[in-house]
Amino acid sequence: MSVSMAAVAQQPKCKAIRNALIAGVIAGVNLLAGCAGKDKGIDLNAYVNMIDPPDVLYKQALANFDAGRLEEASRKFAAIDQQHPYTEWARKALVMGAFSYYRRNKYDEAINMAKRYIALYPTSSDAAYAYYIIGLAYFRQIPDITRDQKDTRRAITAMQEVVDRYPRSEYVSDARAKIHFAREQLAGKEMQIGHYYLERRQYLAAIKRFRLVVKEYSNTNQIEEALYRLVEANYAMGLILEAQTVAYVLGQNYSKSRWYSDAYKLLQKSDLSPQENKRGWLSNIFLAEKKVS
């Protein structure tokens, strides 16, 4: 077959165009590679895969999650939410993305993603799980009692949402257990501050803290010592009737406690004994608890 002179003349132009396109692609890849060098968070293979349909991306993300490749799973769950918002795949990806961030100890990201899920799908069957993830993320950040307990309170709030909104949820039992632990933590914090004031003989400030434990955290393990410290602080201030009342309540509710034994011995130093006062603030609290039980 003969080739026209015009066609032959076009070949160098075609080669030039093709070479230019290839050079452009190479330059683009090199640019991305250069960016990846500056930001190690960019994965070229992952970037290319993100153009897959949402169902394919979701299956890949689950496979990565199950295989322990949590960072890759997080990327793909986030990509589904960004590229296919308000779809069923995005809904699923949001809650799984939140959990994958939690598993990676990326607590702020997990909380934000779970909150976004709740805002978009408040009546979804997975909303309870989203609240639970938020609670878990805050729970994992609970510090020791010497530090601020902001995250402890946030964990209680989130877990209480699970208990109150979804009482039949499978997460309720663990939510209640974590609420109890967090309340123990808050009570311990108040006791720590109370000890600080008591050691410095700042009795009024100490009493305020110990009273708070009795009023707000009477179902924690701190209650017995809190009652004893109230006996001790009131006795030191010369508020004898108050000290006797607290000792009486301590004995009535925790008669075998070493804290009651110590309170009794303290009063005996002045030939005093525990004394009932049905009109006192303390008696009212414990009488109310008995009526409820």
Side-chain angles (χ1 to χ4, degrees):
M1 174 184 266
S2 61
V3 179
S4 67
M5 293 298 294
V8 172
Q10 289 292 327
Q11 289 181 6
K13 292 182 180 180
C14 291
K15 287 183 179 180
I17 293 171
R18 183 183 64 187
N19 290 339
L21 289 173
I22 292 173
V25 171
I26 292 173
V29 171
N30 288 337
L31 178 61
L32 287 173
C35 292
K38 295 177 182 178
D39 185 354
K40 295 182 180 179
I42 296 176
D43 183 344
L44 291 181
N45 293 327
Y47 179 85
V48 173
N49 289 339
M50 294 308 174
I51 64 175
D52 288 336
D55 59 329
V56 175
L57 268 178
Y58 188 78
K59 291 177 182 177
Q60 291 173 352
L62 284 182
N64 286 320
F65 185 89
D66 292 339
R69 296 189 292 272
L70 300 179
E71 185 175 356
E72 182 66 12
S74 296
R75 282 201 194 115
K76 290 185 176 179
F77 285 131
I80 296 169
D81 176 44
Q82 293 166 6
Q83 297 176 20
H84 308 278
Y86 313 114
T87 64
E88 180 64 12
W89 296 110
R91 185 186 70 77
K92 294 179 179 179
L94 266 176
V95 72
M96 283 302 301
F99 185 54
S100 64
Y101 276 130
Y102 166 75
R103 288 284 302 276
R104 292 172 59 201
N105 301 328
K106 300 284 186 178
Y107 299 126
D108 289 342
E109 291 87 342
I111 291 166
N112 290 335
M113 208 164 193
K115 284 183 176 179
R116 174 169 160 74
Y117 183 93
I118 293 167
L120 291 174
Y121 311 103
T123 61
S124 166
S125 59
D126 285 328
Y129 188 46
Y131 276 113
Y132 182 62
I133 290 172
I134 293 171
L136 287 177
Y138 283 130
F139 187 81
R140 291 296 182 185
Q141 298 180 82
I142 291 178
D144 62 69
I145 61 171
T146 63
R147 301 175 63 186
D148 182 77
Q149 298 298 307
K150 175 177 59 179
D151 287 323
T152 307
R153 294 184 178 87
R154 288 174 173 172
I156 291 173
T157 299
M159 289 300 185
Q160 195 63 51
E161 291 280 3
V162 177
V163 174
D164 293 342
R165 291 174 180 267
Y166 312 97
R168 297 182 181 179
S169 166
E170 61 185 293
Y171 314 112
V172 166
S173 178
D174 190 56
R176 284 198 175 113
K178 285 180 168 53
I179 289 171
H180 181 75
F181 178 90
R183 284 176 56 77
E184 289 280 358
Q185 187 80 355
L186 293 181
K189 177 65 176 180
E190 296 300 331
M191 291 298 295
Q192 185 234 351
I193 298 172
H195 285 146
Y196 173 87
Y197 288 127
L198 192 62
E199 289 169 2
R200 287 157 181 77
R201 299 184 180 181
Q202 297 178 27
Y203 298 119
L204 284 176
I207 287 171
K208 180 179 178 181
R209 296 295 178 167
F210 298 136
R211 272 198 179 198
L212 182 62
V213 174
V214 174
K215 289 180 177 180
E216 301 295 331
Y217 306 107
S218 61
N219 63 339
T220 68
N221 293 328
Q222 306 295 333
I223 182 63
E224 295 176 30
E225 184 186 354
L227 288 168
Y228 169 73
R229 297 303 177 188
L230 281 172
V231 175
E232 185 180 19
N234 280 292
Y235 181 84
M237 290 185 67
L239 301 174
I240 302 304
L241 181 59
E242 184 72 8
Q244 289 176 297
T245 300
V246 179
Y248 178 83
V249 172
L250 180 56
Q252 288 296 302
N253 292 274
Y254 310 100
S255 59
K256 296 182 180 179
S257 168
R258 75 176 182 90
W259 296 110
Y260 173 63
S261 176
D262 289 347
Y264 189 85
K265 291 175 183 177
L266 180 61
L267 293 177
Q268 283 287 292
K269 289 181 180 180
S270 300
D271 294 324
L272 299 170
S273 60
Q275 182 174 318
E276 184 178 12
N277 179 8
K278 293 182 179 181
R279 295 183 180 181
W281 68 272
L282 192 57
S283 296
N284 291 337
I285 291 174
F286 283 87
L287 285 173
E289 286 184 353
K290 288 180 179 180
K291 289 179 181 179
V292 171
S293 60

